Amino acid sequence: MNILLLPKTVQHAVQIMVHISMTPKKSLTSVSKISEESNIPKSYLAKIVQILASKKLIKTKTGRTGGITLAKKPNQIKIIDIVFAITDKRREKEMCIIGIDECNDKVHCPLHHSWKKIKKTIYNEFSIQTLDILIEELLKKKAQTKSH
């Protein structure tokens, strides 16, 4: 049971950022290449790229020699930055985990207090995990998979 999955758009944004991070230094990658290698529809991916660029997480360059690159070093980009770039938390009200409208400290559901602790843990974890740490772990996983 996968109760705690990030929204698909956030998952794709993280995949895009990982792909860009793994592109050799001083090289640009393209929306087409990421789309092809990640199996994400090109038009959908382009919208995510536009959001990430507007939030200053990536830089885009148009034209024949154009492409996409990170706006900062991978160790300066936290996973929470990517999540917030896509979800734009400022405009969202806190919604109930079980779907019973808004849920906060004033008006809450029966699960609010326990869920609040879980959300804080997730937030803290995403706040310390950076793109370079994520890539390092993915490379370790890939190496382990090859050796088995």
Side-chain angles (χ1 to χ4, degrees), residues 57-72:
L57 293 174
I58 60 173
K59 293 186 225 172
T60 59
K61 182 179 175 191
T62 57
R64 204 164 71 73
T65 59
I68 308 163
T69 188
L70 294 178
K72 306 175 195 175

Side-chain angles (χ1 to χ4, degrees), residues 12 25 44 48 89 114 130:
H12 290 317
K25 299 256 187 274
Y44 176 53
I48 298 170
K89 280 290 188 195
S114 55
T130 57

Side-chain angles (χ1 to χ4, degrees), residues 59-121:
K59 293 186 225 172
T60 59
K61 182 179 175 191
T62 57
R64 204 164 71 73
T65 59
I68 308 163
T69 188
L70 294 178
K72 306 175 195 175
K73 293 178 183 177
N75 67 348
Q76 296 173 321
I77 300 172
K78 293 177 170 65
I79 303 307
I80 200 73
D81 298 334
I82 302 168
V83 172
F84 283 170
I86 300 301
T87 59
D88 199 3
K89 280 290 188 195
R90 291 179 305 275
R91 288 191 280 151
E92 278 185 21
K93 57 183 177 178
E94 288 292 322
M95 296 306 293
C96 176
I97 184 69
I98 54 177
I100 307 174
D101 199 24
E102 192 172 356
C103 192
N104 54 48
D105 288 335
K106 292 178 185 169
V107 180
H108 53 81
C109 74
L111 298 177
H112 177 71
H113 296 293
S114 55
W115 180 241
K116 184 178 176 180
K117 291 175 195 171
I118 295 166
K119 286 195 310 185
K120 184 175 181 177
T121 301

Side-chain angles (χ1 to χ4, degrees), residues 16-25 57-58 69-82 126-136:
I16 291 165
M17 296 294 286
V18 166
H19 190 284
I20 295 168
S21 298
M22 296 179 83
T23 301
K25 299 256 187 274
L57 293 174
I58 60 173
T69 188
L70 294 178
K72 306 175 195 175
K73 293 178 183 177
N75 67 348
Q76 296 173 321
I77 300 172
K78 293 177 170 65
I79 303 307
I80 200 73
D81 298 334
I82 302 168
F126 284 3
S127 295
I128 59 171
Q129 295 294 327
T130 57
L131 205 47
D132 65 327
I133 294 170
L134 180 61
I135 291 165
E136 186 179 312

